[in-house]
Amino acid sequence: MELLPTSLERIEGGIRIAWSDGVTTAYRAGQLQNACPCATCREKKKSGSEDGSGPIALPVLSLAEARPLVIESVRPVGNYAYNVRFSDGQDCGIFTFEYLRELAENELK
Ligand SMILES: [Zn+2]
């Protein structure tokens, strides 16, 4: 059976998706942003947690981070994924349905 979202709604701090198999999953804005599967974000994360050979990363709080992160829009991409746009302008991520389900399952553990 193909797994498809049957409903998508905005909840406090994030979104909730109901799936064709009866399961409902919820995501916080920050959780989704951290999990962005695109190459740019994965690369950024990698360089941020390296062995310290690069420039020292001092903690910063950007204006965007100082505001609560909000999911601005969630648009379908084909019939297999969602493109999520965040209030800080990040909209690079294509979250496949499969990946979204994986994220939710990891969160429950
Ligand atoms: Zn990204």
Side-chain angles (χ1 to χ4, degrees), residues 75-95:
R75 288 171 306 156
V77 179
N79 59 351
Y80 70 97
Y82 276 130
N83 171 234
V84 182
R85 185 181 168 87
F86 299 94
S87 52
D88 63 356
Q90 183 183 323
D91 66 349
C92 47
I94 304 291
F95 296 81

Side-chain angles (χ1 to χ4, degrees), residues 12-15 27-35 68-72 84 86-87 95:
E12 181 77 41
I15 53 165
Y27 310 88
R28 278 172 284 106
Q31 175 197 359
L32 277 185
Q33 192 173 50
N34 281 335
L69 185 71
V70 180
I71 292 171
E72 277 197 343
V84 182
F86 299 94
S87 52
F95 296 81

Side-chain angles (χ1 to χ4, degrees), residues 36 38 41 90 92-93:
C36 180
C38 85
C41 292
Q90 183 183 323
C92 47

Side-chain angles (χ1 to χ4, degrees), residues 2-3 8 10 15 18 21 25-26 30 43-44 47-48 54 56 59 61 64-65 76 78-79 81 83 98 100 106-107:
E2 206 183 349
L3 195 60
L8 171 68
R10 195 180 284 277
I15 53 165
D21 63 351
T25 57
E43 207 43 50
K44 243 191 275 173
S47 59
I56 300 163
L61 189 65
E65 283 168 315
N79 59 351
N83 171 234
E98 205 185 353
L100 283 168
N106 290 340
E107 187 75 357

Side-chain angles (χ1 to χ4, degrees), residues 2 22 29 37 40 51 73 94 96 101 108:
E2 206 183 349
T40 313
D51 52 16
S73 70
I94 304 291
T96 63
R101 282 294 293 258
L108 289 176

Side-chain angles (χ1 to χ4, degrees), residues 6-28:
T6 55
S7 89
L8 171 68
E9 61 179 321
R10 195 180 284 277
I11 55 169
E12 181 77 41
I15 53 165
R16 180 160 57 204
I17 302 174
W19 301 89
S20 52
D21 63 351
V23 173
T24 303
T25 57
Y27 310 88
R28 278 172 284 106

